[in-house]
Each structure stands twice: as structure tokens, then as C-alpha cells.
Amino acid sequence: MIILGIETSCDETSCSIIQDGLVLSNIVYTQKIHEEYGGVVPEIASREHDKRLPIIINKSLSESRIELSDIDAISVTYGAGLIGSLIVGLNFAKGLSIGLNIPLIPINHLEAHMFASSIDNPSFEYPFLSFLVTGGHTQIWLVNNMDDYLLISDCIDDAAGEAFDKGARILGLRYPGGPEIDRLSSNADSDFIDFPRPFVKSSPMDFSFSGLKTSLYYYCSSIDNKFMNNNLSNIAASYQEAIIDTLLDKLRSAIDKYDVRNIYISGGVAANSRFRSKTNLLFGNSSLNISFTDLKYCTDNAAMIGVLAYMKLENKDFNIDSNLSQEPIPNLSLE
Ligand code: KG4
Ligand code: ZN
């Protein structure tokens, strides 16, 4: 079974070829043009997807030495994401599906992040806690099986990725802010400032990062430019540490509350090097099977779209329901 995966939910144009669940190719084109605007411009993102998608599909096919006529099904993200970007990917996929007379499998982007943790992970098994830390979501799910998910922790305002991006903006760093703060913090003093570790009194399992971002804003407003420039990496590292501590604090609460051995962490923020090293420091000697998604599958990619489509088919004994009427859903959730 050969599946073509397509992902265009935000500013990555990506295509993959998945054969019997294995990733043969995963081409990701990150639209650099948004850097000059300090964030993703939706209209530009749609146009870029439109321009790049055929090129990226061809690259994906040639890298895996697969012909278009060899493909058995097409999987594509239909939400969540930017409406224009989703429309481009979904309509392209529908056209290919009709033209090649093969089924179309619409995929939930967030669910794909969740199962990206299964790629190249020989110890992947149910049940597991899925810690989803993306640009728009910070959630912990109890996953008993495919399609059997229970939401344990959610975010009441800015997600962790948003906290990185907005914090980076306050610090005058480039978009996307997460990798910038990560890089800048690598040899810096994370105890330089004691930023608050946010806690939601009314729902202690949930996340909130907007207050932390405001603390950074007030701190930066209280210092002069020279001090800021001289201590930029220490300020960034202290801010990053507060985000990571908050993530790990809730993860520990979830682990204590639910008797689950397998914990898989995924989404763009899972690429953060301090998140990875501190998790290892805290849980490395425990009996938990705690693992981060492979770096190349943390941020948006089409491999996770194709692999989830394969897992869903496998789960239904390969009875494929083609769904050509699926509309894009920008605010699609997993609940
Ligand atoms: O999962 P993702 O690629 O897209 C969404 O579905 O949202 O996540 C993007 C987010 C951005 O906020 C980006 O700043 C963050 O992931 N990110 C990072 C790192 N790499 C990407 N955050 C912290 N450290 C990183 N190394
Ligand atoms: Zn994503």
C-alpha cells in the first residue's frame, strides 16, 4: 500500500511517500518569506503552497523512486490550520484523487502530530500519554487506542509555541521564535531571572502562558537597551526555562494521576533541546517509556499525515472510505 501524504496547514509545504507504514520520502519546504513580516501572512502562505505543491510532490516521488501511477491513496490535512492554506492542499489532493481514481483520506493535523511519535519508534504501544506541544496547542491526552482519546490537560490561553514566538518578538528575535530562543539559550544562564511558573488555580492540570509572556514584556520594558543586548541570551534562557518547567510540572502531575508507562511527546516545541534534555534529567532513570518524536517529525511534515492514514487503514482492515466531500476545518480539534 503506497500513500501520498500532503500537508499545507500553515507555512510548511510538505509531501511524503509512505509504503506499508514506512516513510520513503518526506520533503518539507519551509516558506522563508514570512520571516520578513515577523509571522505567517495567510494570503502569502496560500499562494506559496499553490506555487510549491507540484514541485514538492515531484521531489517526493523522485526521491522515493515511485511513479504517480503507483500510488494507492492520498492523505491530506483538512484542519486545523489557516483556511486558505488548507483549501490549497485539500483541493489539490481532491483533484489528484479524481484524476488518478484513487481514494482520498482526510487527516486531522493534531492527531497526526500525536501519532508522529510512532514513526521510527520500535517501542511504540498503547496505552500512552500523548503530550502535544505545538504552535497552537498544549495538551496532554490519554490514548487507549486508535480513536479512543481522553483529554487530560488543555491550555486556557497562549500555547507553549505561541509563548516562544511572542516572547521572541518581545526580545527582538526572528520568527519562528522557538528555534531562535532555543539556539540563543544553549550556553546561557537560565537562573538569570526568576520568571513565574504559571499555575491555573481553578484547573491545576491546565496550562496558561499569557501571564508569563506579560512578565517578560514588563521585564524588558524595565531595562535599557544596552543591558538587554548584553544579557539577551540569559533573559531568553530564563524565559525558556519557565516554559519548560511549566510543561514538565504538568506532565509529572499527569503521570502521577494516570497509571500509564508510555509517554510520547510531539509537536514543534518537542524539538526544543532544553525540553528534551531536562525531561531526560528528570525521568531518565525512571521505569517510564518516555520518548520524544524524532526531530524531523516534530514540526509540520507530511510523513505524519501519510503514516496516520496508513495506521487508520490498518485499524479498519484496509477498508478504505474515500471522502471527496470533506471541507477544510480551520479550528478542527480532537475532541
Ligand atoms: O507543530 P508545529 O510545527 O506547528 C503547529 O501545528 O502549530 O509547531 C510550531 C511551533 C512554533 O511556535 C515554533 O516556534 C515552535 O513550534 N518550535 C520550537 C522549536 N522548534 C519549533 N519551540 C521551541 N524550541 C524549538 N526548537
Ligand atoms: Zn503542526
Side-chain angles (χ1 to χ4, degrees):
M1 158 81 51
I2 299 178
I3 298 176
L4 167 67
I6 298 177
E7 156 63 36
T8 64
S9 66
C10 192
D11 57 339
E12 261 91 23
T13 313
S14 181
C15 297
S16 66
I17 301 293
I18 308 300
Q19 182 164 32
D20 298 332
L22 293 175
V23 181
L24 296 190
S25 68
N26 178 43
I27 309 291
V28 181
Y29 169 74
T30 300
Q31 304 174 357
K32 291 279 175 211
I33 188 164
H34 303 286
E35 272 178 21
E36 61 189 90
Y37 301 96
V40 179
V41 183
E43 176 61 28
I44 296 178
S46 317
R47 286 168 196 257
E48 281 284 287
H49 287 308
D50 201 31
K51 199 161 76 187
R52 299 283 171 173
L53 204 43
I55 303 166
I56 303 298
I57 289 185
N58 278 333
K59 242 182 155 173
S60 197
L61 287 167
S62 62
E63 191 173 283
S64 51
R65 297 172 198 279
I66 295 285
E67 301 288 328
L68 207 48
S69 54
D70 296 330
I71 294 175
D72 299 303
I74 300 173
S75 60
V76 62
T77 305
Y78 71 99
L82 300 169
I83 182 70
S85 293
L86 292 169
I87 287 173
V88 173
L90 192 55
N91 281 352
F92 198 98
K94 284 180 181 176
L96 261 185
S97 158
I98 293 166
L100 296 170
N101 195 24
I102 55 176
L104 182 76
I105 307 166
I107 291 290
N108 180 326
H109 180 84
L110 205 58
E111 195 178 8
H113 271 302
M114 182 184 264
F115 284 93
S117 54
S118 72
I119 308 176
D120 296 340
N121 182 354
S123 63
F124 179 84
E125 60 176 8
Y126 299 102
F128 61 89
L129 288 182
S130 171
F131 197 2
L132 282 174
V133 202
T134 71
H137 291 83
T138 311
Q139 297 180 327
I140 304 177
W141 291 85
L142 171 62
V143 180
N144 287 312
N145 224 316
M146 180 67 73
D147 299 325
D148 180 357
Y149 318 139
L150 175 73
L151 184 62
I152 293 173
S153 296
D154 204 352
C155 193
I156 64 165
D157 46 47
D158 292 354
E162 240 174 317
F164 271 106
D165 294 335
K166 289 180 177 172
R169 207 170 184 159
I170 294 168
L171 294 170
L173 304 172
R174 279 187 318 197
Y175 177 86
E180 288 292 299
I181 290 182
D182 190 355
R183 187 184 50 77
L184 204 60
S185 304
S186 63
N187 286 314
D189 177 12
S190 60
D191 292 327
F192 188 69
I193 307 150
D194 189 17
F195 284 116
R197 275 49 177 165
F199 183 79
V200 187
K201 256 194 191 158
S202 54
S203 51
M205 288 301 284
D206 288 337
F207 298 91
S208 159
F209 287 103
S210 79
L212 174 61
K213 172 202 65 193
T214 307
S215 296
L216 176 70
Y217 177 76
Y218 282 128
Y219 176 78
C220 291
S221 311
S222 73
I223 55 175
D224 60 41
N225 277 350
K226 189 168 174 223
F227 186 84
M228 172 97 156
N229 290 337
N230 287 342
N231 295 286
L232 189 60
S233 53
N234 293 334
I235 301 169
S238 305
Y239 180 68
Q240 172 177 273
E241 201 71 7
I243 297 176
I244 302 307
D245 282 351
T246 307
L247 292 174
L248 287 173
D249 181 57
K250 301 287 178 252
L251 180 61
R252 185 182 285 281
S253 302
I255 290 170
D256 289 346
K257 197 163 171 188
Y258 296 87
D259 187 22
V260 179
R261 220 190 122 253
N262 305 303
I263 293 113
Y264 305 131
I265 307 174
S266 53
V269 179
N272 183 271
S273 54
R274 182 62 180 153
F275 190 15
R276 296 172 93 98
S277 64
K278 200 159 188 181
T279 302
N280 195 32
L281 223 81
L282 291 180
F283 299 105
N285 289 328
S286 71
S287 58
L288 298 166
N289 171 26
I290 183 159
S291 70
F292 279 80
T293 296
D294 190 298
L295 268 184
K296 55 184 176 294
Y297 306 125
C298 283
T299 44
D300 290 348
N301 67 88
M304 66 183 189
I305 305 300
V307 165
L308 179 58
Y310 182 80
M311 291 172 85
K312 289 209 171 260
L313 291 181
E314 204 177 23
N315 202 41
K316 284 191 206 153
D317 293 328
F318 295 94
N319 289 319
I320 309 183
D321 292 327
S322 183
N323 186 353
L324 274 168
S325 60
Q326 179 66 59
E327 296 290 335
I329 305 181
N331 57 356
L332 182 67
S333 75
L334 253 177
E335 287 136 297

